[in-house]
Amino acid sequence: MSKGAYARAYETSRQDPEAFWAEAATDIDWITRPTRVLDDSRAPFYTWFPDGRLNVCYNALDRHVVDGRADQAALHYDSPVTGSRATYTYAELLELVSRFAGVLRDLGVTKGDRVVIYMPMVPEAVIAMLACARIGAIHSVVFGGFAPQELAARIDDAAPKVIVSASCGVEPKRVVAYKPYLDEAIRRAEHKPDRCVILQREQQPAELGERDLDWAEVMRPGVVQPAECVPVEASHPLYILYTSGTTGKPKGIVRDSGGYAVALRWSMPNVYGIEPGDTMFTASDVGWVVGHSYIVYAPLLAGATTVVYEGKPIGTPDAGAFWRVVQDYGVSSLFTAPTAFRAIKKEDPEARLLADYDISSLRTIYLAGERLDPDTYHWATERTGRPVVDNWWQTETGWPIASNPRGIEELPIKPGSPSTAVCGYDVRVLDDQGTEVPAGTEGAIVIKLPMPPGTLPTLWQDDDRYVSSYLSAYDGYYLTGDGGYIDEDGYIYVMGRTDDVLNVAGHRLSTGSIEAALAGHPAVAECAVIGVADSFKGQVPRALVMLKSGVDASTPEAQDRLRKELVQRVREEVGAVAALHQVDIVDGLPKTRSGKILRKTMRQIADGQEAQVPSTIEDRSVLDSLTSVLRPQG
Ligand code: COA
Ligand code: AMP
């Protein structure tokens, strides 16, 4: 690690990306080694390693068994909410994955078919994902905290042949029955899967119907022949992961196989400081991109050990939970969202519980998923005595865009910034006209095309939406949807979304879905949802609702009843993670003359910032009368 190593590596990745990624690709075991690195003949659609063929599951499991890691732990399952733990070696995980791949194959799932996985944080979720990869099926994991309507939208878009789910999830204070949600989602969806495989959990078994199979039954040894790896093209989709945009229709981010494997494998030593045999603990959920990349694929591609943790940072049982996991499994890198640290800080401000555990194995803490505020950064650094590395990325990119490149060179950390661009990403800040702004000036953060391997090649069966959502704002650039600036040293500062996407406790949610749920209530004429700053969850949604004429909301009791119904409706339609608690009943919503609701202006007022009011506002008095409702108290 020498001074200037990052600058040199970064420049190579920019000047000669093909040489850079060809070198990185040698860490992957290819069935057909690619002779070409980047196909740009269909720009702005790019294909990495166009003539390469591989199997990602082979690289995550079989390869390590062949290389002598058969008895090394591949996955520790640690579930304080159910009081269970289990460790799977690489050989054991390979056996289970091959068997479940055989189950899927026998259900008629073949290369290119989709499989939706709707599961809590159990090892079977990882087994199902890898089993899909093994036979070239495309998985689409839906976060367990989403309610039937969100699941139904994803089922309709992905059109899965099979759905893999569980009878229930276990949250600290309640058991969440998944199976009724799944049944309701299938009832609402136009597309119907052939079969559902259900993991029965003792906390709340489910009644199985004609379409359903019991995971334990189909996985009994000897019932199916294990499946071998199916070779796929590097461009073959490994998965679709739906993420929230501004509208209610989620975007199906496509992830390729070859580029993703190369990028993740490269990121392990270079970004996350993980070598084969190390243990990584990513406290997220397999339903999010952080879970896909750094609970499942990257640690296994690297021959490391991953931890699947079914619990929370606090309350399961206390704010020492993460330190215990670090101690019990010898974790060297801990990766979570800033909210988790804010939760720990709130519960245990002096971090007294740290003294109960030996965390000497822990080298570095990584935080991503939302802005890392300097207070939380300082607290985490001072209390743990470990470097705290902020890294910025999105579902679309699949791995970090910006991070301190500690594996290459330990650059100084500047609180409030995820440091510099990661190799392969050419990050710029543009103004409204598409001109690059000087250092320190805020604008839209964009990435010059082509983006590095692992990033989205398109949206599932929707090239047009891919272009209109991400590529049409500035020619030749990918629009991240984040605003911010770059300082003189090349450090990127990500200040927040420039669109109406919400980020609640590191969970990305769409204003459109929440609005659709509210609008479905018979009393609602019109509504708007904005994300307002929250010192714990980063952001929380806030709803402004106009009622239909004739709806009785004249008394505080009637209003209160209505608010409760609306909150409940959002829980049932979007999911409890939406965490909508504040609903204001208002007389009007500020709009432009063309009818666009001024969400950004309202958000600025609610956050106590200077509000930018567009000159095209239809009726200024509507906004003025809302200001006192929106303005932060105290
Ligand atoms: N299945 C079903 N319900 C779920 C769920 C899941 N997988 N995940 C969350 N929920 C529910 C919770 O039970 C809670 O319900 P409640 O309102 O009835 O209590 C609601 O959704 C909100 O959950 P959550 O966002 O977890 O808030 P919380 O207040 O329970 O916990 C934290 C706060 C900080 C502990 C929690 O948000 C956390 O661990 N965040 C880390 C961030 C993270 O992992 N981000 C992922 C991207 S990196
Ligand atoms: P998701 O696609 O769910 O990973 O959410 C991506 C969005 O989360 C980004 O567009 C950012 O708005 C936000 N985000 C993620 N990581 C960071 C970070 N380190 N700093 C600031 N914002 C972040």
Side-chain angles (χ1 to χ4, degrees), residues 371 442-443 445 481-484 493-499 539 603:
R371 182 163 184 272
E442 269 196 48
I445 313 183
D482 283 310
Y493 289 76
V494 183
M495 306 311 288
R497 299 285 307 189
T498 53
D499 52 19
Q539 242 186 359
R603 190 172 73 210

Side-chain angles (χ1 to χ4, degrees), residues 359-365 380-388:
I359 64 156
S360 54
S361 62
L362 186 65
R363 293 193 293 258
T364 316
I365 294 167
T381 311
E382 282 154 24
R383 299 295 159 181
T384 64
R386 301 296 190 280
V388 173

Side-chain angles (χ1 to χ4, degrees), residues 243 288-290 338 367-372 390-396 402 418 480-482 494-497 501 503 506-509:
T243 190
W288 305 110
V289 71
V290 171
L367 297 177
E370 56 178 326
R371 182 163 184 272
L372 172 57
D390 181 6
N391 52 121
W392 166 60
W393 47 298
Q394 350 178 272
T395 308
E396 287 84 344
T480 64
D482 283 310
V494 183
M495 306 311 288
R497 299 285 307 189
V501 165
N503 193 323
H507 308 312
R508 180 163 159 187
L509 300 165

Side-chain angles (χ1 to χ4, degrees), residues 321-350:
F322 281 8
W323 319 135
R324 177 195 53 84
V325 172
V326 169
Q327 167 187 277
D328 288 357
Y329 305 107
V331 169
S332 45
S333 289
L334 163 63
F335 183 6
T336 189
T339 305
F341 266 82
R342 286 197 293 269
I344 297 170
K345 179 177 160 209
K346 205 160 133 184
E347 286 282 307
D348 183 16
E350 306 299 325

Side-chain angles (χ1 to χ4, degrees), residues 166-234:
S167 59
C168 67
V170 184
E171 286 293 295
K173 290 192 207 108
R174 67 198 163 107
V175 172
V176 183
Y178 276 38
K179 183 63 171 38
Y181 273 20
L182 173 64
D183 290 343
E184 174 60 15
I186 296 174
R187 196 187 64 73
R188 291 186 188 198
E190 273 177 38
H191 172 86
K192 312 290 175 196
D194 295 349
R195 292 293 198 161
C196 296
V197 182
I198 308 294
L199 176 75
Q200 292 281 24
R201 305 190 77 194
E202 63 182 41
Q203 292 76 19
Q204 190 167 331
E207 212 170 286
L208 300 189
E210 268 181 21
R211 190 172 27 214
D212 306 323
L213 297 164
D214 183 334
W215 173 289
E217 284 295 312
V218 294
M219 281 291 274
R220 256 188 307 122
V223 172
V224 295
Q225 276 292 324
E228 288 307 317
C229 291
V230 171
V232 302
E233 306 73 41

Side-chain angles (χ1 to χ4, degrees), residues 341-467:
F341 266 82
R342 286 197 293 269
I344 297 170
K345 179 177 160 209
K346 205 160 133 184
E347 286 282 307
D348 183 16
E350 306 299 325
R352 288 189 204 287
L353 291 169
L354 255 176
D356 296 347
Y357 302 97
D358 172 5
I359 64 156
S360 54
S361 62
L362 186 65
R363 293 193 293 258
T364 316
I365 294 167
Y366 293 87
L367 297 177
E370 56 178 326
R371 182 163 184 272
L372 172 57
D373 54 286
D375 276 359
T376 306
Y377 165 80
H378 287 300
W379 185 85
T381 311
E382 282 154 24
R383 299 295 159 181
T384 64
R386 301 296 190 280
V388 173
V389 177
D390 181 6
N391 52 121
W392 166 60
W393 47 298
Q394 350 178 272
T395 308
E396 287 84 344
T397 64
W399 65 290
I401 308 167
S403 177
N404 204 288
R406 298 187 65 78
I408 304 175
E409 181 182 355
E410 290 180 9
L411 294 186
I413 288 176
K414 297 193 192 185
S417 165
S419 301
T420 53
V422 169
C423 290
Y425 288 97
D426 187 348
V427 181
R428 315 271 178 105
V429 177
L430 306 182
D431 66 16
D432 291 347
Q433 274 70 49
T435 308
E436 234 179 297
V437 298
T441 309
E442 269 196 48
I445 313 183
V446 298
I447 303 167
K448 192 162 185 293
L449 297 175
M451 292 204 284
T455 55
L456 81 170
T458 189
L459 295 179
W460 178 246
Q461 294 187 328
D462 204 344
D463 286 350
D464 290 346
R465 191 175 181 205
Y466 170 57
V467 173

